[in-house]
């Protein structure tokens, strides 16, 4: 029965980790596409222009993905005794993983506990500004470490391993979304030009001949 319970937990966290990586990849794509530190300036100009067509949508979507991955990935390391977590699968190994990745995990917990899930009424705005999302480089490495750790647990439980590559594919969906918005805007501007520079133009040939 204990073995089955552990497998149920690892099965749950397979989906949990997949969805966390997907949300992180989407957040990284939307935010990172506006960074000249990561993308060439000419492409950043293009991505910024696209996102400015629908600024509220992209801002809220970016933030939703951020909330999702921060809150969801921390489920794996919930220390509460009444919650499912990887501690229930292997307490010693999970404690070791958390210790080795404490920089990222602690930063994510601070953001979740003080800002996202709750707002600390004792903390000043200046103090709240100290709670920051880890760098993308640190988060990239953290998720790589998490995949290796998760697969080490499932290999022990049922001899399985999981590739999470599909979770990263959402960046291509977002790239296609950007391009489709550009295509749509190009057509929209052409239609406006046709209407006001041609259809509504009283100097067109059909009006004069």
């Amino acid at each position: 029965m204990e073995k089955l319970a552990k497998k149920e937990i690892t099965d749950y966290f397979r989906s949990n980790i997949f969805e966390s990586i997907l949300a992180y990849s989407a957040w990284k794509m939307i935010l990172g596409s506006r960074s000249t530190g990561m993308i060439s300036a000419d492409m950043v100009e293009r991505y910024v222009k696209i996102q400015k067509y629908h600024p509220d949508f992209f801002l809220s979507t970016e933030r939703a993905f951020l909330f999702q991955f921060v809150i969801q990935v921390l489920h794996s390391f919930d220390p509460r005794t009444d919650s499912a977590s990887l501690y229930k699968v292997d307490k010693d190994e999970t404690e070791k993983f958390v210790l080795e990745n404490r920089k990222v995990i602690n930063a994510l917990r601070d953001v979740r506990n003080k800002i996202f899930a709750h707002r600390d009424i004792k903390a000043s705005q200046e103090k709240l500004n100290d709670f920051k999302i880890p760098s993308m480089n640190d988060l990239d490495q953290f998720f790589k470490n998490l995949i290796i750790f998760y697969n080490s647990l499932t290999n022990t439980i049922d001899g399985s391993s999981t590739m999470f590559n599909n979770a990263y594919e959402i960046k291509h969906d977002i790239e296609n979304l950007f391009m489709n918005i550009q295509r749509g805007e190009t057509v929209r501007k052409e239609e406006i030009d046709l209407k006001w520079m041609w259809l509504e133009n009283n100097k067109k040939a059909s009006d004069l001949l």
Side-chain angles (χ1 to χ4, degrees), residues 31-45 48:
L31 178 63
S33 66
R34 304 195 304 267
S35 171
T36 54
M38 305 176 70
I39 309 294
S40 65
D42 61 319
M43 287 304 297
V44 166
E45 182 179 359
V48 168

Side-chain angles (χ1 to χ4, degrees), residues 13 23 71 75 83 90 94 106 122 127 131 136 162 180 193:
F13 280 106
I71 292 172
H75 288 179
S83 296
D90 191 319
T94 300
N106 287 343
K122 296 181 181 180
K127 179 63 177 176
F131 301 122
M136 290 181 183
T162 303
N180 284 336
D193 182 70

Side-chain angles (χ1 to χ4, degrees), residues 103-155:
K103 176 184 175 183
V104 169
I105 292 175
N106 287 343
L108 294 178
R109 279 177 174 163
D110 282 342
V111 170
R112 180 197 64 181
N113 295 342
K114 303 295 185 179
I115 301 177
F116 289 179
H118 315 279
R119 177 55 65 97
D120 190 341
I121 62 173
K122 296 181 181 180
S124 64
Q125 186 60 51
E126 182 179 352
K127 179 63 177 176
L128 290 174
N129 290 338
D130 290 338
F131 301 122
K132 299 185 184 301
I133 299 296
S135 71
M136 290 181 183
N137 286 339
D138 286 344
L139 286 166
D140 286 344
Q141 188 59 54
F142 168 73
F143 278 108
K144 289 177 183 177
N145 295 345
L146 179 57
I147 291 170
I148 293 170
F149 172 60
Y150 173 79
N151 280 329
S152 72
L153 293 180
T154 59
N155 183 60

Side-chain angles (χ1 to χ4, degrees), residues 85-99:
S85 72
L86 297 181
Y87 287 109
K88 302 295 192 302
V89 179
D90 191 319
K91 185 174 183 292
D92 291 341
E93 288 301 313
T94 300
E95 287 179 345
K96 180 181 176 183
F97 178 86
V98 170
L99 181 63

Side-chain angles (χ1 to χ4, degrees), residues 13-19 21-22 146-148 150-151 161-169:
F13 280 106
R14 179 179 294 110
S15 296
N16 176 279
I17 292 170
F18 179 92
E19 292 168 7
I21 295 171
L22 184 148
L146 179 57
I147 291 170
I148 293 170
Y150 173 79
N151 280 329
S161 65
T162 303
M163 295 183 65
F164 292 90
N165 293 357
N166 286 349
Y168 294 97
E169 291 301 306

